[in-house]
Structure formats: C-alpha cells, structure tokens
Amino acid sequence: MIKNAHKQLLKEILAQVYNNSLFSESRKYMQHGSTSIYRHSITVAYKSCEIAEKYHLKVSYREMIRGALLHDYFLYDWHDKEHNHRRPHGFFHASAALHNASRDFKLTSIEKDIIRKHMFPLTPVPPRYKEGWIVCLADKICSLGETIKR
C-alpha cells in the first residue's frame, strides 16, 4: 500500500496522461497473459512508488510515475505475427514508446531515461537515474506476476 499523497499524485498524473494522449488506446492491447498494457503500466507506476517508499529513496515521484505510465507507450499489439513490429519486441519497443511519448508530451531527461532504458539488461545501457532503476525493477516484478498468473 502506498501513501495517500503518492496515490493521489498517481491518479492526477494518470488523468493528465489519459486525457492528453492516445494512452487510452493501450487498453486494447495485451501485455502479458490477460493484462492490458494500460493495466500493466498503472501497476508498474504503483509498484515503483511502493519500492521507493519501502526503501526511503529520494526520488521525483512525479517523473517516476509519468515515466512508468509511459514506459510501454508503443501502441501496437506485439503478439500480432502478421505485423512485424520490429522483432524481437523486448529489444525494440522502448524506442517506439519513447518516440510516441516524445510526440505527445514534453518529457524530462529522467522520464526519457526511464522509457528508453526500462528493458535493461536487454538494452545494453543501464538507467542513469534512481527513478529509472526503480521502474526497471518494478516492470520486471509486474511482468513476472502477470506471466505466471496466466
């Protein structure tokens, strides 16, 4: 359970992202098992807050949450074999997500780093900021849970 202030911040940022972009499209695409990219992204943002709070890490919650919400903002069904979406997906979707997020939002360097490097170690360059490391870890925790839950 995260602090009420962070829960409220998450809701506020989610509303901003949802209302000012194509983020709602992510409801249509599955990420792992029966979990949509939309649900996955929100869960990663929540888990990132849990990790930062648990270890009393000094982070920018606003940037971490926004980066987490947009980390998989690639807007396509990566399971669709008929459309070759720069396979293998795990190595390339961060670039598509960053492209889309940069098109729709003015991103900070922390947010860009989170989106670009959340697939470390599949992507060779590790995150530069604590927020990126936290989202990277939260993404793996959530992805594992969603995959096992199938």
Side-chain angles (χ1 to χ4, degrees):
M1 194 71 153
I2 63 174
K3 293 179 183 174
N4 283 336
H6 295 143
K7 200 179 293 186
Q8 189 58 39
L9 183 62
L10 174 60
K11 287 178 184 177
E12 172 191 315
I13 295 169
L14 175 59
Q16 291 169 355
V17 168
Y18 190 89
N19 293 326
N20 296 297
S21 70
L22 299 172
F23 188 71
S24 63
E25 296 270 316
S26 65
R27 288 177 180 269
K28 297 190 300 190
Y29 307 118
M30 290 300 115
Q31 180 65 316
H32 308 106
S34 61
T35 303
S36 69
I37 294 169
Y38 176 83
R39 174 57 46 203
H40 168 77
S41 299
I42 294 169
T43 304
V44 170
Y46 189 93
K47 179 60 76 176
S48 296
C49 291
E50 277 187 338
I51 292 168
E53 284 182 12
K54 180 176 181 176
Y55 295 103
H56 308 286
L57 301 173
K58 291 184 180 180
V59 298
S60 168
Y61 278 87
R62 181 170 295 281
E63 290 171 295
M64 183 178 71
I65 290 168
R66 223 163 76 121
L69 289 173
L70 297 170
H71 81 281
D72 281 341
Y73 188 54
F74 47 83
L75 301 174
Y76 60 78
D77 181 0
W78 67 273
H79 303 92
D80 184 354
K81 304 285 188 235
E82 292 188 24
H83 296 90
N84 187 11
H85 297 291
R86 294 191 69 190
R87 301 262 183 230
H89 173 76
F91 291 93
F92 297 105
H93 76 275
S95 296
L98 181 59
H99 171 80
N100 292 340
S102 297
R103 176 195 66 210
D104 294 347
F105 299 98
K106 183 176 186 231
L107 300 173
T108 68
S109 58
I110 291 174
E111 292 163 348
K112 288 177 187 175
D113 191 68
I114 289 168
I115 298 165
R116 182 183 297 120
K117 298 175 183 171
H118 78 274
M119 287 302 293
F120 180 78
L122 287 184
T123 53
V125 181
R128 179 175 178 193
Y129 304 98
K130 281 185 281 192
E131 293 86 351
W133 281 105
I134 294 166
V135 172
C136 187
L137 176 60
D139 182 44
K140 281 150 187 57
I141 292 168
C142 294
S143 296
L144 180 62
E146 293 161 5
T147 301
I148 290 171
K149 192 174 145 185
R150 284 184 193 202

